[in-house]
Amino acid sequence: MTAADNQPLRHTPLFALHQQLGARMVAFAGYSMPVQYPQGLMAEHLHTRKAAGLFDVSHMGQLLLRGADAATALETLMPVDVQDLGVHKQRYGLLLNDQGGILDDLMFVNRGDDLFVIVNGACKQADIAHIQERIGQRCEVIPLPDQALLALQGPQAVTVLARLIPGVSQLVFMTGGHFDWQGHALYITRSGYTGEDGFEISVPADGAQALAHALLAQSEVAPIGLGARNSLRLEAGLCLYGNDIDTTTTPVEAALNWAIQKVRRSSGAREGDFPGASIVLEQLQNPQQLQRKRVGLVALERIPVREPAVLENMDGQHIGHITSGLLSPTLNQPVALAYVQPDYAALGTEIFAMVRGKPVPMKVTATPFVPTNYYRG
């Protein structure tokens, strides 16, 4: 047991609200978090797909990078284009270690005067320390522990939020803006981890409860827990840090090549100059050298396949393992993300997951499993 295991669970600013709503609370990333509410995971999932779901994601880490050199400095930690990002544009990023392994995945926004960064809750202390150590002498690294973070997701999210905060409907996917609600300064981005249109709202902790109540008072909105957050993101084919990506996986193995812009690749204007660059760029240039690759899988029988189930080929040889898997509430079909040997990564390839000693046939399929509904204008 580590020292962290002995620490009491922390509470987000919405802890009392979760209790009032009858949430089942679990330990997650050092916090007591709602895994589901009385209506249950399936109902929460389907409600988000058809209306609007409110998620408390205040356990995540929020920080600012400030200073003339901030973008150039942050770019030295990730294989992504930070310097050319437009004002109030958001981008997905990957902090890498010196072996090209993924320390964390994150979102960042160029707000003009600073870079606003959101990192995963379980990684935030290590991430902030890493960023401080690597680039703290080049820019200010300012954690924001007094900010809460709410996510409003689903096809009716924009209708709901625009009632409370006029102007948010002008945002498009992967953009953000400054807004005000009842005297509270908000920063809102339009993106999401569910595959649906939606928003993340950074709000001062002392205004979070009132904002959550105002959102939940709208007929379209229901509170959604971590359980449905996980099933929604899996249907969208999105990685969960610690399951589908970690320090042992590189962006190329994880099929995240799309997150590495041309300018940072071989022959790009700013190629390399990030941790593990020689390994990652070599894998991009010569993908045949990969030992494994992340793929999407759909089960051909209605038997849920969960992590860390072993994957085998027709001859019973071990060829990979499941990293995330469940019965898709939307499709009513088992879906999974997995790592397999490259020979088995082609679309349509049939392999077998071992579930309680029984082989369950699965087929390699494209992700997302459920079409995304991001609003691009």
Side-chain angles (χ1 to χ4, degrees):
M1 182 176 280
T2 66
D5 295 324
N6 292 318
Q7 299 296 319
L9 292 176
R10 300 173 69 184
H11 293 170
T12 74
L14 298 185
F15 179 77
L17 176 60
H18 300 314
Q19 291 185 308
Q20 290 167 24
L21 294 170
R24 181 158 71 82
M25 307 298 285
V26 298
F28 185 79
Y31 285 79
S32 181
M33 296 291 291
V35 68
Q36 65 180 60
Y37 297 88
Q39 63 176 334
L41 187 155
M42 179 76 73
E44 292 173 31
H45 180 111
L46 297 175
H47 183 90
T48 305
R49 287 269 180 258
K50 75 174 192 293
L54 181 65
F55 302 76
D56 178 10
V57 285
S58 303
H59 64 294
M60 298 182 78
Q62 302 179 64
L63 60 147
L64 301 179
L65 304 181
R66 191 173 285 154
D69 202 26
T72 310
L74 182 59
E75 197 171 270
T76 66
L77 304 183
M78 304 193 295
V80 301
D81 177 6
V82 182
Q83 295 186 48
D84 299 330
L85 189 62
V87 176
H88 296 300
K89 297 290 179 66
Q90 185 177 47
R91 184 162 280 165
Y92 177 76
L94 297 159
L95 286 178
L96 302 186
N97 63 23
D98 293 332
Q99 291 72 48
I102 302 170
L103 293 170
D104 199 9
D105 61 341
L106 54 83
M107 301 292 270
F108 64 100
V109 189
N110 172 14
R111 304 200 306 184
D113 296 330
D114 55 41
L115 294 172
F116 176 48
V117 183
I118 299 176
V119 299
N120 282 302
C123 305
K124 67 181 175 183
Q125 301 305 333
D127 287 353
I128 292 169
H130 175 76
I131 293 168
Q132 183 70 54
E133 180 190 348
R134 294 287 183 109
I135 64 171
Q137 70 286 0
R138 297 179 59 179
C139 61
E140 281 186 275
V141 180
I142 308 166
L144 302 173
D146 297 324
Q147 288 289 113
L149 191 65
L150 309 183
L152 186 69
Q153 298 284 301
Q156 294 177 28
V158 63
T159 303
V160 169
L161 196 57
R163 281 187 205 129
L164 300 184
I165 304 166
V168 292
S169 58
Q170 294 168 20
L171 297 176
V172 296
F173 183 59
M174 296 297 271
T175 67
H178 292 283
F179 295 89
D180 181 87
W181 181 75
Q182 295 190 353
H184 297 290
L186 312 180
Y187 194 79
I188 300 176
T189 54
R190 192 168 191 172
S191 60
Y193 194 48
T194 60
E196 297 294 338
D197 182 24
F199 302 85
E200 296 75 44
I201 308 160
S202 180
V203 53
D206 61 3
Q209 189 112 234
L211 180 57
H213 276 292
L215 290 166
L216 290 168
Q218 313 298 309
S219 61
E220 300 91 341
V221 183
I224 313 294
L226 292 174
R229 180 172 161 83
N230 182 54
S231 55
L232 289 157
R233 70 88 195 169
L234 182 50
E235 288 185 345
L238 299 173
C239 292
L240 173 63
Y241 190 83
N243 279 46
D244 311 301
I245 51 176
D246 58 27
T247 55
T248 71
T249 52
T250 69
V252 186
E253 290 173 331
L256 296 173
N257 304 23
W258 57 267
I260 306 176
Q261 287 75 35
K262 192 174 178 182
V263 71
R264 306 304 312 281
R265 299 185 179 213
S266 299
S267 303
R270 299 193 305 280
E271 73 167 275
D273 188 31
F274 58 84
S278 60
I279 295 166
V280 173
L281 295 179
E282 175 67 22
Q283 290 180 344
L284 280 170
Q285 291 279 89
N286 299 293
Q288 68 278 6
Q289 296 179 6
L290 291 178
Q291 302 296 305
R292 59 180 175 165
K293 190 174 180 185
R294 183 174 65 87
V295 296
L297 295 171
V298 171
L300 303 182
E301 297 175 3
R302 198 177 176 278
I303 299 173
V305 179
R306 305 186 189 282
E307 65 278 4
V310 167
L311 296 169
E312 296 183 351
N313 63 12
M314 298 272 188
D315 301 321
Q317 296 167 315
H318 181 284
I319 57 160
H321 70 282
I322 301 288
T323 54
S324 290
L326 45 71
L327 183 69
S328 159
T330 304
L331 303 174
N332 194 28
Q333 187 176 23
V335 299
L337 297 178
Y339 281 85
V340 297
Q341 294 171 13
D343 290 350
Y344 299 91
L347 295 180
T349 303
E350 193 169 318
I351 57 180
F352 299 90
M354 299 306 294
V355 179
R356 292 187 291 278
K358 178 184 183 292
V360 177
M362 304 193 82
K363 186 177 284 189
V364 177
T365 189
T367 57
F369 301 105
V370 173
T372 55
N373 291 307
Y374 303 128
Y375 177 72
R376 301 179 188 274

